[in-house]
Amino acid sequence: MSTVDADFLALPLWTLADAALSAARAAGASHADLRVHRVHSQSLSLRDGAVQAAVDSVDTGLAVRVVVDGTWGFASHAELSPAVAAATARQAIEVARTLRALNRDRVELADEPVYPDAVWVSSYEIDPFTVPTAQKVARLAEFSRHLLDADEVDHVTANCVQVKEQTFYADLAGSAITQQRVRIAPQLEATAVDRRTGEFETMRTLAPPVGRGWEYAAGDAHWDWSAELAQIPGWLAEKATAPSVQAGPTDLVIDPTNLWLTVHESIGHATEYDRAIGYEAAYAGTSFATPDGLGTLRYGTDVMQVTADRTVAHGLASVGWDDDGVAAQSWDLVRDGMLVGYQLDRVFAPRLGLPRSNGCSYADSAHHVPIQRMANVSLQPDPAADTTTAELIARVDDGLYVVGDKSWSIDMQRYNFQFTGQRFYRIRGGTLAGQVRDVAYQATTTDFWGSLEAVGGPSTWQLGGAVNCGKAQPGQVAPVSHGCPSALLRSVNVLNTRAEGRR
């Protein structure tokens, strides 16, 4: 088991908390919390095996939130001293008092048990920040050489983002929570160029970002890098010469490496409660899944079961407690195809009539206020039968098998969308019959999930995800995973992107 780094624990965490919370209490705050937040990030980028960038950054600071007369106040500072913590608390108090005249909705926080001296550390084997940068660059260069040695590949980019995030949270109720989590996102992309026409095709690795350490990239135990890199040149060459797709309604078998992004955009964002009530509308949009449809909106077919989970192993949004001091949980968003839940924080839970938050508060920095952010939102596999991807394909006479995510577009209400992918295989007579290209699938959210006929079993289920989900103004990014099985959907509209581009 990993432990919280000694140098973070050596910071004057408890002294800062005492100074900030005492100042807030003395000034009349009904609620106050202090968050010490440190984020260590490293980004490595190579092109054709040569280093293009190696960037390290550490963002450290303290933040104080208060509720005064039903109004939020927030302030932050980069200096970690008791005097500054107390002054920051008093500044947050003044912010709340200034904003009181503009506040139309009195802040009421859902109750939460107290967690004194709690600790949580994510599951990883090798702290990436203990591995020399030269060693990590050498590994990415080795990956690049595997691809560059193939005649089919002209250029290769390699990237790896690594993050260690540490927080200390304390509030007036008596909770004091220390957490540390690590995540990593390696990716390679190969490019083939047609020298005669100047056209090019690309192919990316499908390894998702995960809540693991350097062990994820160091060997093949958690992702079979050797096998994937060996196959990419052949896949890329086939894609470059593949026929263009015929547009029209098409049966699709979608691999989890593609479907996770559709889950993220059409379910994950749509079931954020702040969107659903129009609170988050300016930058990140609203949602078609409004509260009047809770328990009655048919999201998809009966085989559609979607959960939100902040506890799943190696999930990017997995934590012990959120930034409201709420313990991590798992709950249903869609059950038997019906909308049954939302993602909430301590402010929004009472507005939905719930006694407790489900723990979706997060800020990406000490200098940003916590907002309601996404849990690991996942489509569940078939619990009754371990149906394989090949068995789903066998049920399709004429269709497409979709692998890997690429570009996407969705409207502000998370309703009208289109998605592309890395590879598209023609299905004929229940078997794969080579790649096609220029493919996008298009639908409304309820039509798409309403065409879901079957999901694969547990052996097909896989966590995908992103480390840079954007939301809010000022903008914040959050890491989030999405698990899903392979899925069979009938008669989804397929576009020919080349033809569409010429219109």
Side-chain angles (χ1 to χ4, degrees):
M1 291 290 294
S2 300
T3 57
V4 179
D5 290 353
D7 63 342
F8 184 74
L9 295 176
L11 297 174
L13 304 173
W14 293 87
T15 305
L16 295 172
D18 182 64
L21 298 178
S22 295
R25 182 186 292 109
S30 59
H31 168 87
D33 60 61
L34 166 96
R35 178 170 43 91
V36 179
H37 198 153
R38 183 167 75 177
V39 182
H40 187 179
S41 303
Q42 183 184 64
S43 176
L44 304 173
S45 301
L46 282 70
R47 177 174 170 80
D48 294 339
V51 177
Q52 299 293 294
V55 180
D56 273 85
S57 66
V58 179
D59 179 21
T60 305
L62 62 86
V64 181
R65 285 191 309 174
V66 299
V67 177
V68 178
D69 194 18
T71 303
W72 277 121
F74 173 82
S76 68
H77 205 284
E79 183 180 339
L80 304 184
S81 74
V84 167
T88 303
R90 288 190 287 269
Q91 183 180 2
I93 293 284
E94 288 305 309
V95 169
R97 288 174 173 158
T98 301
L99 293 177
R100 176 66 188 91
L102 302 175
N103 184 20
R104 297 179 181 179
D105 298 309
R106 184 178 180 85
V107 173
E108 299 290 346
L109 300 181
D111 290 337
E112 181 67 15
V114 173
Y115 307 97
D117 203 13
V119 179
W120 182 87
V121 180
S122 66
S123 179
Y124 60 93
E125 299 168 28
I126 303 173
D127 182 343
F129 296 96
T130 65
V131 180
T133 298
Q135 182 178 328
K136 292 182 280 191
V137 167
R139 181 61 168 161
L140 294 178
E142 178 188 359
F143 284 161
S144 299
R145 284 194 300 272
H146 282 308
L147 294 172
L148 288 168
D149 286 345
D151 293 337
E152 300 92 339
V153 175
D154 293 293
H155 298 288
V156 174
T157 58
N159 301 281
C160 187
V161 174
Q162 306 135 87
V163 178
K164 182 193 293 181
E165 186 170 16
Q166 299 158 317
T167 57
F168 173 77
Y169 170 95
D171 62 29
L172 283 179
S175 286
I177 302 162
T178 308
Q179 301 188 87
Q180 176 169 299
R181 56 177 174 157
V182 169
R183 51 189 178 268
I184 185 170
Q187 185 179 92
L188 285 93
E189 183 173 75
T191 302
V193 180
D194 186 325
R195 303 294 180 185
R196 182 179 58 83
T197 65
E199 293 190 351
F200 64 92
E201 283 289 355
T202 62
M203 188 75 65
R204 279 197 281 106
T205 50
L206 302 181
V210 291
R212 293 186 183 271
W214 183 247
E215 69 277 1
Y216 187 56
D220 292 341
H222 302 293
W223 185 265
D224 197 343
W225 297 98
S226 298
E228 185 175 28
L229 293 173
Q231 294 176 88
I232 281 178
W235 289 332
L236 181 57
E238 182 184 3
K239 182 180 180 180
T241 59
S244 197
V245 72
Q246 182 175 348
T250 306
D251 293 344
L252 302 179
V253 175
I254 305 182
D255 193 79
T257 55
N258 179 275
L259 193 58
W260 76 265
L261 184 56
T262 313
V263 169
H264 175 87
E265 298 295 345
S266 69
I267 308 173
H269 278 307
T271 57
E272 293 175 308
Y273 187 66
D274 58 347
R275 285 179 181 278
I277 62 173
Y279 187 90
E280 175 67 22
Y283 169 77
T286 54
S287 171
F288 78 95
T290 51
D292 58 321
L294 189 64
T296 61
L297 172 65
R298 177 150 292 280
Y299 220 109
T301 62
D302 290 347
V303 302
M304 184 185 186
Q305 320 290 338
V306 180
T307 60
D309 190 350
R310 300 215 72 185
T311 68
V312 63
H314 309 296
L316 294 167
S318 295
V319 293
W321 290 264
D322 76 347
D323 285 352
D324 280 345
V326 176
Q329 303 156 49
S330 176
W331 66 99
D332 290 341
L333 296 173
V334 177
R335 187 187 308 123
D336 300 329
M338 304 297 292
L339 175 68
V340 296
Y342 287 102
Q343 302 166 74
L344 303 156
D345 61 16
R346 288 183 71 179
V347 170
F348 290 119
R351 297 186 188 183
L352 191 59
L354 297 178
R356 187 186 179 205
S357 164
N358 48 39
C360 290
S361 177
Y362 174 72
D364 64 359
S365 163
H367 308 298
H368 284 155
V369 65
I371 59 174
Q372 187 261 294
R373 293 309 309 262
M374 202 182 299
N376 302 303
V377 173
S378 298
L379 177 68
Q380 295 304 309
D382 184 351
D386 196 7
T387 305
T388 65
T389 304
E391 289 171 329
L392 293 177
I393 291 171
R395 293 167 62 169
V396 176
D397 183 59
D398 187 3
L400 294 173
Y401 173 47
V402 185
V403 180
D405 67 276
K406 203 173 184 183
S407 64
W408 55 273
S409 176
I410 192 165
D411 69 9
M412 291 182 68
Q413 289 192 310
R414 304 289 148 171
Y415 194 62
N416 298 281
F417 64 70
Q418 74 176 47
F419 290 83
T420 64
Q422 291 292 315
R423 300 193 300 276
F424 295 86
Y425 293 91
R426 191 77 189 186
I427 304 172
R428 290 197 182 275
T431 61
L432 300 183
Q435 290 189 54
V436 294
R437 61 190 292 186
D438 309 322
V439 183
Y441 60 88
Q442 178 190 58
T444 67
T445 293
T446 51
D447 283 348
F448 179 80
W449 294 110
S451 71
L452 180 65
E453 180 177 294
V455 292
S459 65
T460 73
W461 195 88
Q462 177 183 312
L463 273 179
V467 295
N468 60 347
C469 175
K471 188 176 179 180
Q473 290 174 303
Q476 298 193 37
V477 295
V480 59
S481 293
H482 302 283
C484 47
S486 297
L488 168 59
L489 300 101
R490 297 292 189 183
S491 197
V492 178
N493 190 41
V494 163
L495 302 176
N496 184 303
T497 56
R498 186 177 295 260
E500 291 290 324
R502 289 171 178 163
R503 290 186 176 183

